[in-house]
Amino acid sequence: MILKKLFNKKNHKNPLIISGPCSIESPNQLEETVSQLVDQGIEIIRGGVWKPRTRPGSFEGLGSIALPWIQEVKSKYPVKFAIEVASAEHVEEALKYDIDIYWIGARSTVNPFTVQEIADSLKGTGKPVMIKNPVNADLSLWMGAVERFQKAGITDLAVIHRGFSNFRDTIHRNSPLWQIPIEFRTHFPEIMMINDPSHISGKRELVPLIAQKALDLNFDGLMIESHIDPDNAWSDAQQQLTPADLKKMLSELKTRKVKFEGQKMKSQLEEIRQQIDQADHDLLEALHRRFELVEKIGEYKKLNNVAVLQLDRWKEIFESRPEWGKPLRLNKDLIQEIFGLLHQESIRKQTEILDSE
């Protein structure tokens, strides 16, 4: 139980840190990176051997040629090594060199057949597995991948939140969409959750911000790409940190208390939570009143043969509600998302009324 053992060793006071280069490029590059990371207390090294890329022509890893280099490094330093595998053939090759930990990439997680193939190939090996979220924001696919490994008898599991493709996000390489990993944890609270700020940010200057956000949300660990010469890295150069910069960043990150200490603190928290409960109750009553009015609108439209969707009215709501929220210091995107959902439900209710006898 490598992952759980290393995490429990930290006594839950500090996050588990996994670090190493995006791609293994040479024996010297690998050993120098590992040497510097070990000096910082890093016990799990990540390194790209096979690199599934979105488009052809990008560097796709050196493949099996890098596996003996990993074996050599492990003989010199007290580390475990994690690599990505995307097929049963990858697993077979990696097992020959006793690779310690296997992760399933975002492009593999989207394909249940690929996930099942890898799960079957690792069955009975006792190897730990880390499963990245799928490329797109599909919680069921992520959960399904975990369940396939569980059914294969693999219990030393972790998941990696590396963000989701979103063409409208101009800040992150992959949108974090924090609500998805949070919901995942409600279904699998016992599974370690690791954040990958490198792939979420896509820029090294954003890595600390994403990492801190993950710790604030009580993630169990971080997987951070580190390279001795990031600017000249063969892949993902912009998002990798030098080991020295990684050390500085880790020293500045703040870990939060998991539990509240002291009766006074607990009492204050409980009082605020009761106020939140009352606010939520008031909110639900307001929603009930709103949908009662929506049903009246539906009845009127049915009686007067009026179409359900009125674009001018929807445009008015979509533009006015964020303006109403400004003096209340409410997030514009949140308001638009909430009223988008309310509009969908209003359309559904009115359509049911029009279709009823």
Side-chain angles (χ1 to χ4, degrees), residues 25-277:
E25 301 164 1
S26 71
N28 290 338
Q29 172 249 8
L30 177 61
E31 181 166 353
E32 184 61 28
T33 302
V34 172
S35 173
Q36 293 185 31
L37 292 175
V38 168
D39 287 344
Q40 299 176 30
I42 304 298
E43 297 181 67
I44 301 182
I45 304 295
R46 58 140 292 145
V49 174
W50 296 281
K51 299 291 298 179
R53 312 303 284 180
T54 302
R55 300 178 67 181
S58 300
F59 176 61
E60 296 185 330
L62 293 175
S64 299
I65 191 175
L67 296 174
W69 304 343
I70 295 174
Q71 192 175 49
E72 178 68 17
V73 162
K74 285 177 57 183
S75 71
K76 297 179 180 179
Y77 300 93
V79 296
K80 302 296 183 183
F81 218 98
I83 69 169
E84 177 179 354
V85 290
S87 69
E89 288 77 14
H90 290 173
V91 173
E92 182 180 358
E93 284 295 302
L95 287 172
K96 292 177 184 177
Y97 293 89
D98 196 28
I99 299 299
D100 304 287
I101 303 168
Y102 299 71
W103 86 75
I104 315 304
R107 294 173 181 82
S108 297
T109 309
V110 299
N111 189 332
F113 293 109
T114 298
V115 172
Q116 189 64 58
E117 175 188 322
I118 298 172
D120 291 341
S121 65
L122 283 166
K123 187 175 183 178
T125 64
K127 297 294 186 180
V129 174
M130 303 187 294
I131 305 169
K132 287 196 173 186
N133 62 257
V135 173
N136 298 315
D138 192 327
L139 178 61
S140 294
L141 273 176
W142 201 6
M143 293 170 57
V146 170
E147 291 165 347
R148 289 179 186 276
F149 280 95
Q150 288 178 328
K151 288 184 177 181
I154 298 168
T155 57
D156 198 1
L157 285 171
V159 292
I160 301 173
H161 168 232
R162 49 80 76 189
F164 305 86
S165 295
N166 184 344
F167 73 94
R168 290 179 294 181
D169 193 331
T170 59
I171 299 174
H172 308 95
R173 176 179 176 181
N174 295 297
S175 300
L177 301 181
W178 297 102
Q179 69 273 20
I180 294 179
I182 289 171
E183 185 169 347
F184 179 97
R185 298 202 85 164
T186 66
H187 296 279
F188 296 98
E190 76 286 357
I191 291 181
M192 288 178 57
M193 179 164 283
I194 296 165
N195 179 259
D196 181 347
S198 302
H199 281 88
I200 290 176
S201 65
K203 309 178 193 70
R204 64 177 63 97
E205 61 268 22
L206 293 181
V207 170
L209 299 175
I210 300 298
Q212 185 61 63
K213 175 73 171 181
L215 296 185
D216 292 346
L217 292 173
N218 199 27
F219 275 66
D220 300 307
L222 301 169
M223 177 185 273
I224 303 171
E225 291 187 342
S226 181
H227 190 290
I228 55 173
D229 185 12
D231 290 334
N232 293 302
W234 295 2
S235 59
D236 291 352
Q238 292 182 335
Q239 67 193 38
Q240 299 191 69
L241 304 176
T242 65
D245 286 340
L246 174 67
K247 180 179 181 179
K248 181 177 184 294
M249 186 197 81
L250 293 177
S251 70
E252 294 172 350
L253 290 177
K254 297 178 181 178
T255 55
R256 310 297 184 184
K257 295 178 181 178
V258 177
K259 295 182 180 180
F260 287 84
E261 300 172 356
Q263 189 58 44
K264 182 178 180 181
M265 186 180 290
K266 289 180 180 178
S267 299
Q268 291 174 338
L269 174 68
E270 189 57 36
E271 181 180 343
I272 297 171
R273 282 176 171 169
Q274 288 176 2
Q275 294 174 20
I276 289 176
D277 289 345

Side-chain angles (χ1 to χ4, degrees), residues 278-346:
Q278 183 59 53
D280 287 346
H281 190 272
D282 295 343
L283 180 61
L284 290 172
E285 286 190 341
L287 287 174
H288 175 70
R289 292 195 298 273
R290 190 183 197 279
F291 283 118
E292 283 184 330
L293 297 172
V294 166
E295 290 175 356
K296 288 184 178 181
I297 289 284
E299 294 290 350
Y300 178 88
K301 288 179 179 178
K302 180 178 180 179
L303 183 63
N304 292 276
N305 196 32
V306 176
V308 168
L309 181 59
Q310 301 290 316
L311 287 176
D312 288 344
R313 170 60 175 165
W314 166 235
K315 184 178 179 182
E316 176 195 340
I317 291 174
F318 192 73
E319 292 177 351
S320 64
R321 274 40 173 185
E323 289 298 316
W324 295 357
K326 278 184 179 180
L328 302 173
R329 295 184 300 160
L330 295 174
N331 182 279
K332 175 183 177 181
D333 293 337
L334 173 65
I335 295 175
Q336 290 179 336
E337 185 172 351
I338 288 173
F339 277 90
L341 292 171
L342 290 176
H343 186 250
Q344 292 176 28
E345 180 63 9
S346 297

